[in-house]
Amino acid sequence: MVLIPPPIRIHFGKDLLSLKSNIMRTLLIILCCFTILSCKSREDLTLKQQNYLGDKLRFDGYYYTQNSVNDIDCFFFYRNGIIHTSTYGNSIEEIDVYYQNNTQSIYNISYRWGVYNVINDESIKFEKWISSDGGPNPTVLFNGTIINDSTLIIENPASSFGTSTYQFHKTPYKPDSSRVDFFD
């Protein structure tokens, strides 16, 4: 007589479901971690921040021009190599009032900040972040010529806009670049 062993029953019930749930949960956590770690709020700047010790730029106000839609574009330069940019209002008086009453929010908007380098005391490059509808803020590089400490000619990276002449305006109202933490 041949003995046939009883069939082996494999139990897939709760243990297998629990294992599947644990694996799925672990994979979801790993995926979330990679997603969070890979998110960047802005691209890296290619220009390096460096102190400017020359005398071809002024730091007691801003350089401004009126753009094609009659808003004022302005640039504040700082000795520590940082630049603050803004487009606001239709007059330098409006710019002055805006910065006189500035709030903490201007320090939290990365696309208003960047870095600059002066080359041979005659040309200037600056790179700043620009606004984005999604994803990280991209950067844009500007080139210009220093005519004197009160006049700059800046080439707009969008070639259809050409160049703009910026004049200096002295003002006591200036954002504090030491309060910006985008450059750490």
Side-chain angles (χ1 to χ4, degrees):
M1 172 182 230
V2 177
L3 290 174
I4 300 176
I8 300 174
R9 294 189 178 229
I10 301 175
H11 181 59
F12 288 108
K14 290 182 180 179
D15 293 338
L16 185 59
L17 287 176
S18 176
L19 180 62
K20 275 184 170 180
S21 293
N22 286 340
I23 290 173
M24 293 301 287
R25 189 174 337 169
T26 303
L27 288 174
L28 183 61
I29 290 170
I30 291 172
L31 180 63
C32 287
C33 288
F34 277 124
T35 302
I36 290 169
L37 291 175
S38 67
C39 288
K40 289 174 62 174
S41 62
R42 59 191 168 272
E43 292 179 0
D44 293 333
L45 297 172
T46 57
L47 283 182
K48 300 297 175 213
Q49 179 186 352
Q50 55 190 16
N51 291 339
Y52 176 65
L53 304 176
D55 61 357
K56 300 299 181 188
L57 295 175
R58 293 188 56 183
F59 303 98
D60 55 342
Y62 56 86
Y63 293 84
Y64 73 96
T65 194
Q66 196 149 21
N67 65 28
S68 60
V69 294
N70 291 325
D71 287 334
I72 301 291
D73 293 335
C74 64
F75 304 138
F76 292 87
F77 292 97
Y78 300 87
R79 286 258 179 225
N80 62 2
I82 291 177
I83 182 173
H84 173 74
T85 67
S86 184
T87 299
Y88 187 82
N90 298 96
S91 68
I92 57 175
E93 291 79 20
E94 285 183 68
I95 295 283
D96 286 348
V97 168
Y98 175 74
Y99 283 101
Q100 180 180 5
N101 300 317
N102 78 52
T103 62
Q104 178 61 30
S105 66
I106 65 169
Y107 299 104
N108 300 327
I109 303 172
S110 63
Y111 61 81
R112 289 197 175 174
W113 298 91
V115 298
Y116 74 92
N117 297 148
V118 173
I119 299 100
N120 297 326
D121 281 338
E122 59 189 35
S123 63
I124 188 167
K125 285 185 178 215
F126 63 90
E127 184 177 22
K128 65 181 279 310
W129 291 286
I130 57 175
S131 179
S132 173
D133 289 335
N137 292 100
T139 66
V140 64
L141 185 66
F142 292 78
N143 292 295
T145 303
I146 301 171
I147 303 302
N148 55 47
D149 72 350
S150 298
T151 309
L152 307 175
I153 297 177
I154 304 294
E155 299 170 22
N156 193 306
S159 59
S160 62
F161 291 113
T163 61
S164 296
T165 301
Y166 287 76
Q167 299 298 320
F168 185 79
H169 171 70
K170 185 175 181 173
T171 182
Y173 312 112
K174 186 174 178 177
D176 180 2
S177 68
S178 69
R179 293 180 57 188
V180 179
D181 62 359
F182 306 121
F183 306 104
D184 294 338

